[in-house]
Amino acid sequence: MTNLWQDLRYGVRMLLKKPAFTLIAIITLSLGIGVNTALFAGFNLLLRPNPIKDPDTVVKIERQSEDAGRNFSYPGYVYYHDHAQTLLDFLPTIEEKFLLREQASGVEPLEIKGIFTSENYLSALGGKTILGRFFTQEENLVEGRDAVIVLSHYFWRQRFAGDSNIVGRTLLLNGKSFTVIGVTSPGFVGLQIEMPDIWLPLMMRADKSTLQFAGPKSEDRDWFGDREFPWLSLHARLKTGKTIAEAQAEMALLQDQGPRAAEASGPKKFIGVAPAFSAGTTESFWTTMAITLGASGLVLLIACSNIANMLLARGAERASEIGVRLAVGANRWRVIRLLLTESFLLAVAGGATGILLARWSVELLFPWVFARSSGRIFAKTALSLSPDWRVLVFAMSLSLLSSVAFGLVPALRATRQDLIPTINGGHSASGGRITRSWLRNGLVIAQVALCFVLLIPAGLLLRALTKVGDVDRGYAANKLLVVEYSVNLVKKGAPSAQLFRQQLMARLAALPGVQSVCPQADSDGQARIIPLDNLGQKAPGKQFDQVPFQWVTANYLDTIGTPLILGRGFTVEEVESKIPVIIVSQSTARILWPDENPLDKTMRVEQLMGDDSVCEVMHVAKVIGVARDNQIYRPGHIPPLFFYAPQPAFIDEYRQLLVRAVSDAASLKEPARKEAFALEPGLILTIGTMESVFGEESLINSARVASELAAALGSLALLLAAVGLYGVMAYSVAQRTREIGVRMALGAQASQVQMHVIAQGMKLVLIGVSIGLPISMVVSRVMNSMLFGLSARDPATYVGAAALLAIAGLMACWMPARRAAKADPMIALRRE
């Protein structure tokens, strides 16, 4: 311990003697550790439980069966609540959307999110109210009687500006008056990752108005008596001393022993009990985390390479000191430990600075990145930006590993020297050998190769986003306005909704600058298509599953601006009568009938339902047209097989309207909004151009966030690699003063010396790019899904990345080369 303390004090003194070296090393290391810690902290936020009381004891209870239902009916919840002995504080919840309407005229209704739950929800999770109270057991006894709500703190601040007199105020939700009785504390989110706007008594779910369970039979729901209607999510808390395994066993026993009346009939089911907070445990999460941290780890490796090169140079300068220590009998491993102590001190200082840098960057950037990637408001989530023990352990582990990574090899190299030249005062020769060693050059080559590997993904993503934005998408995106609406809370039944759609379409079509209007189905279908021969028989080996298709009206293709290559479009009579005719895409015609005319060809169409069953849509469908390929089904992607099927405009699945403008669609947003609200003030409405919808598509948005992250990492790697190359070349010039002086004394021109130094540095860049090229080609393959058709071996990207590295290399070599060219031969020779 005494020796360790001495080593630490000596290491501090040696680092303070070279403040420039120490500061540069700490800054370099803090950048590498900081970016890794910041990214890990971002992922760690999704691994942390919600800020509630004893989160580790809260479990989620789910039905698990062959069907898709995981929730419980109300009678089922009551049965398990009354009989379970290993669980307490049962918490039933159901999320619902509400339409908040203000008494003031001219104020658009607001769609908000609420949670129906039990009266013990707040107290069981350790929450509090800052105004008023939570609802009581008495207010949660009778169906539909007590119309009270509790506001979340965020909603109270945003919608009501923190009005302290909000308690007792009446709000209109789904056309029904509710009284505000409380406001929760700022940090209470509950069981969801995102804070709802309001909480309501479970018994108020008896109200029939619903957006969550919209459908033809939504008005006939028996929320509290129907055992065949599982609608409740269920959480509970383990009793003290009980385990998840015991709770699982008890729930299975209760299911087997309980009355069948408590469970819905159907396929065999069992009850699953699992920790409530297991966010981030999906395979895609871990894959994304591994790829991201792997990329940022390359930045840290480049930083470590820089510091290793600096330590090699420092070891050359300290050759006399180290040689004397070894000459007088010091053990080599004792000297190595001394040098590693200095590396450890650098790592600790760099790690501490990196943690501060990571915290500042997370606090400043993560809410923005979170909103960009998920579309959620960070302030409404259960995520805390304060670093926890995982982040600190991760950062310090990186620091320790880094100290070994950049300190061990220089320490071994510095202590492996011939003592005779050192004793005779010939340490300069030793320094020269180190300068010209393959090790220093190898570290620079590694930095360039790693930098190239990071630049390629950034370049590919940026090129792909540019390409997908500039490419002809096959439809008139700049002339399309998307009008998405919901009238479920104000128009009861399908006939009212159909009448509203017809009236809205007529109003929009009458607007100046509107060319046409058509409905678009909420979701696209998938079908199995079976091409038939001329005799109506199935062609051998011809069957295609999961083929996307679009239900359309007669004027759909004209509205979106996709032309027909062959044949004709649907007539109104064909659509309304559902005559079995289809229009296929160019790619489909090319694949199914490569050397034939696709018109009048036939196929059988079977729609794939959500439960994997098959519904025959058309026994024999005739091809009447071939439409140009487009990207409207999925932005940035043209499906190889795709077709359009006729569907009348009165079908209830339509919840979107497409408005074709004569010129610019954006100019129609406000007129369309006014017409919609003039027709129905209680409408839930979203209006945007197709360009904005295209840009907000999840895959494009993910690619945009990934490109920004890759560009940031690539830029940092480029900066570190350029600094590393500059350091090596500057030190090389300084150590070769005598050689350069001799060259110039013998007649070498300054330009020749300058070109010689630049050529030496650019040779390292060229070798690094050559090594990084095949590695980049392998790595870039994992990005195919985000490249929107761009090849992972896009030549322009690779040439651009190599050119960028070459420019950075030239800039890094120019200053040392210029200094070498200005050397005075006589002064250089006298120095030696």
Side-chain angles (χ1 to χ4, degrees):
M1 184 59 68
T2 302
N3 288 338
L4 178 59
W5 180 244
Q6 290 176 347
D7 290 349
L8 289 172
R9 287 189 300 173
Y10 181 78
V12 170
R13 289 199 305 270
M14 293 303 296
L15 292 177
L16 292 177
K17 286 180 63 176
K18 295 286 186 178
F21 164 85
T22 304
L23 183 61
I24 293 173
I26 290 175
I27 291 175
T28 302
L29 194 57
S30 65
L31 289 174
I33 293 178
V35 69
N36 280 271
T37 304
L39 291 172
F40 177 80
F43 286 108
N44 182 60
L45 294 181
L46 305 178
L47 296 172
R48 297 164 69 173
N50 286 21
I52 61 174
K53 181 176 71 176
D54 300 328
D56 294 338
T57 64
V58 178
V59 295
K60 182 174 180 62
I61 308 169
E62 291 184 331
R63 296 190 315 157
Q64 299 179 8
S65 62
E66 297 175 2
D67 60 8
R70 293 181 176 271
N71 294 337
F72 291 84
S73 66
Y74 183 79
Y77 148 65
V78 172
Y79 169 74
Y80 292 116
H81 173 274
D82 293 342
H83 292 84
Q85 300 299 314
T86 59
L87 300 169
L88 52 81
D89 289 336
F90 275 75
L91 301 172
T93 58
I94 178 64
E95 180 180 313
E96 180 58 273
K97 298 176 184 177
F98 297 88
L99 193 66
L100 173 65
R101 299 179 66 178
E102 298 287 345
Q103 301 295 338
S105 60
V107 179
E108 290 186 12
L110 176 68
E111 181 180 315
I112 64 175
K113 184 175 74 173
I115 300 290
F116 291 98
T117 188
S118 54
E119 66 279 355
N120 65 327
Y121 188 85
L122 190 72
S123 59
L125 298 178
K128 296 179 180 179
T129 57
I130 59 170
L131 291 176
R133 60 177 176 82
F134 208 68
F135 43 85
T136 64
Q137 184 178 13
E138 177 65 25
E139 291 169 322
N140 208 11
L141 283 179
V142 181
E143 297 179 23
R145 184 188 68 182
D146 298 283
V148 294
I149 57 172
V150 177
L151 307 183
S152 71
H153 186 272
Y154 181 87
F155 182 63
W156 170 62
R157 296 283 297 180
Q158 293 296 313
R159 185 67 178 183
F160 304 104
D163 182 7
S164 59
N165 298 316
I166 191 67
V167 175
R169 182 172 168 178
T170 299
L171 302 180
L172 198 63
L173 299 176
N174 294 2
K176 184 179 181 66
S177 295
F178 283 78
T179 302
V180 179
I181 62 171
V183 178
T184 58
S185 56
F188 183 72
V189 177
L191 293 170
Q192 288 73 23
I193 191 173
E194 188 173 24
M195 183 187 299
D197 298 307
I198 59 174
W199 283 274
L200 309 91
L202 191 64
M203 287 297 155
M204 289 306 298
R205 180 61 281 186
D207 181 25
K208 304 303 180 184
S209 298
T210 176
L211 287 178
Q212 189 74 15
F213 290 92
K217 296 183 179 180
S218 61
E219 301 301 311
D220 302 326
R221 300 287 191 194
D222 182 0
W223 297 92
F224 299 99
D226 188 356
R227 299 179 178 90
E228 304 290 333
F229 179 33
W231 56 279
L232 280 172
S233 296
L234 197 55
H235 291 77
R237 190 181 294 279
L238 291 170
K239 287 186 176 180
T240 304
K242 300 300 182 180
T243 65
I244 290 180
E246 291 173 321
Q248 175 79 65
E250 183 190 34
M251 295 299 285
L253 183 63
L254 288 175
Q255 183 190 28
D256 292 338
Q257 294 181 349
R260 289 299 302 165
E263 283 296 319
S265 60
K268 179 64 178 176
K269 304 173 178 66
F270 68 93
I271 307 297
V273 181
F277 304 107
S278 55
T281 57
T282 62
E283 183 178 350
S284 61
F285 173 87
W286 294 115
T287 301
T288 303
M289 182 176 177
I291 292 174
T292 304
L293 292 181
S296 63
L298 297 182
V299 174
L300 182 58
L301 283 178
I302 294 174
C304 289
S305 298
N306 269 351
I307 301 175
N309 259 331
M310 293 170 64
L311 289 175
L312 283 171
R314 183 170 166 81
E317 293 176 355
R318 297 174 62 184
S320 294
E321 172 205 340
I322 295 171
V324 169
R325 287 178 178 272
L326 295 173
V328 298
N331 183 278
R332 184 189 178 196
W333 293 108
R334 177 71 178 84
V335 178
I336 290 175
R337 193 180 77 178
L338 181 66
L339 297 176
L340 286 178
T341 302
E342 295 181 24
S343 300
F344 170 76
L345 291 171
L346 285 175
V348 170
T353 310
I355 291 174
L356 292 177
L357 182 63
R359 177 162 187 176
W360 293 335
S361 60
V362 166
E363 290 177 349
L364 290 174
L365 299 178
F366 188 81
W368 175 76
V369 174
F370 184 82
R372 289 284 304 276
S373 59
S374 68
R376 294 175 174 174
I377 301 173
F378 184 80
K380 292 181 66 175
T381 66
L383 305 177
S384 172
L385 293 175
S386 300
D388 63 1
W389 64 270
R390 294 188 191 91
V391 176
L392 297 177
V393 169
F394 179 81
M396 296 315 297
S397 298
L398 280 185
S399 300
L400 293 176
L401 290 174
S402 299
S403 68
V404 176
F406 67 72
L408 182 59
V409 173
L412 291 173
R413 185 60 183 258
T415 56
R416 192 181 64 197
Q417 57 178 275
D418 189 354
L419 297 183
I420 301 300
T422 301
I423 295 172
N424 292 333
H427 62 275
S428 62
S430 175
R433 285 195 299 272
I434 291 181
T435 300
R436 293 188 292 270
S437 71
W438 60 268
L439 181 57
R440 287 178 57 81
N441 292 340
L443 289 173
V444 172
I445 291 171
Q447 291 180 54
V448 173
L450 293 176
C451 182
F452 190 76
V453 172
L454 285 174
L455 287 175
I456 290 300
L460 287 174
L461 288 169
L462 291 172
R463 282 265 298 156
L465 288 171
T466 302
K467 178 183 176 183
V468 77
D470 295 341
V471 74
D472 183 2
R473 300 171 201 163
Y475 65 97
N478 61 326
K479 295 183 179 182
L480 284 178
L481 191 72
V482 182
V483 179
E484 187 173 0
Y485 65 91
S486 174
V487 292
N488 288 338
L489 298 178
V490 290
K491 299 293 183 184
K492 306 301 181 183
S496 296
Q498 293 164 9
L499 177 61
F500 171 81
R501 181 167 57 248
Q502 293 170 3
Q503 293 173 337
L504 180 58
M505 288 176 62
R507 282 175 173 257
L508 294 177
L511 287 173
V514 172
Q515 182 173 327
S516 62
V517 180
C518 76
Q520 176 167 270
D522 279 350
S523 59
D524 304 302
Q526 287 192 331
R528 174 183 297 139
I529 60 174
I530 304 171
L532 306 176
D533 59 22
N534 294 332
L535 300 177
Q537 301 298 316
K538 176 182 176 182
K542 288 264 184 111
Q543 176 175 305
F544 303 90
D545 294 329
Q546 297 182 336
V547 176
F549 73 98
Q550 177 73 54
W551 295 112
V552 299
T553 54
N555 65 334
Y556 177 81
L557 291 175
D558 289 335
T559 300
I560 67 173
T562 295
L564 290 173
I565 306 302
L566 292 173
R568 61 175 178 84
F570 299 122
T571 64
V572 175
E573 293 76 18
E574 287 172 334
V575 172
E576 292 182 352
S577 302
K578 284 195 170 183
I579 294 175
V581 291
I582 60 174
I583 296 174
V584 299
S585 67
Q586 277 180 282
S587 298
T588 304
R590 188 164 49 247
I591 292 173
L592 297 185
W593 306 286
D595 300 316
E596 302 177 65
N597 186 347
L599 298 182
D600 296 329
K601 296 292 184 181
T602 58
M603 65 174 67
R604 185 157 69 241
V605 179
E606 300 172 346
Q607 187 173 5
L608 306 178
M609 312 305 288
D611 57 358
D612 294 332
S613 62
V614 175
C615 173
E616 187 171 81
V617 179
M618 303 177 193
H619 182 69
V620 179
K622 184 171 72 171
V623 177
I624 63 169
V626 178
R628 183 183 177 188
D629 288 333
N630 63 43
Q631 298 182 19
I632 201 166
Y633 173 74
R634 184 178 301 162
H637 172 71
I638 295 177
L641 297 174
F642 187 82
F643 67 94
Y644 303 91
Q647 180 161 281
F650 55 78
I651 297 298
D652 194 46
E653 279 77 9
Y654 292 119
R655 292 291 186 275
Q656 287 184 351
L657 299 179
L658 298 180
V659 181
R660 172 74 179 270
V662 175
S663 56
D664 182 25
S667 62
L668 294 175
K669 290 176 66 173
E670 286 307 314
R673 184 180 298 276
K674 290 180 181 178
E675 290 295 333
F677 281 115
L679 185 61
E680 177 49 66
L683 188 68
I684 296 177
L685 183 69
T686 302
I687 298 182
T689 63
M690 184 62 79
E691 287 284 357
S692 64
V693 172
F694 184 88
E696 293 171 3
E697 202 274 337
S698 59
L699 186 58
I700 289 182
N701 194 42
S702 298
R704 186 178 294 111
V705 173
S707 70
E708 291 167 355
L709 175 61
L713 291 177
S715 300
L716 182 57
L718 185 64
L719 174 63
L720 291 174
V723 170
L725 180 59
Y726 169 80
V728 166
M729 298 312 299
Y731 189 75
S732 174
V733 168
Q735 291 297 307
R736 295 171 60 192
T737 302
R738 183 176 181 277
E739 175 193 334
I740 293 172
V742 170
R743 286 176 178 268
M744 298 188 72
L746 294 176
Q749 298 297 316
S751 59
Q752 293 175 318
V753 173
Q754 190 169 357
M755 290 303 299
H756 174 74
V757 174
I758 290 176
Q760 183 184 15
M762 295 307 296
K763 179 180 178 181
L764 302 180
V765 173
L766 179 60
I767 296 174
V769 169
S770 301
I771 294 174
L773 180 62
I775 301 175
S776 300
M777 289 183 174
V778 174
V779 171
S780 59
R781 290 180 182 176
V782 302
M783 303 168 54
N784 279 329
S785 62
M786 303 180 74
L787 296 183
F788 310 114
L790 181 73
S791 171
R793 298 183 177 182
D794 176 53
T797 301
Y798 285 84
V799 171
L804 192 61
L805 270 171
I807 293 171
L810 283 172
M811 294 176 63
C813 296
W814 182 74
M815 284 296 292
R818 186 168 176 268
R819 188 180 302 117
K822 288 185 176 182
D824 187 327
M826 298 307 297
I827 296 177
L829 292 174
R830 287 196 194 103
R831 277 182 55 188
E832 291 296 321

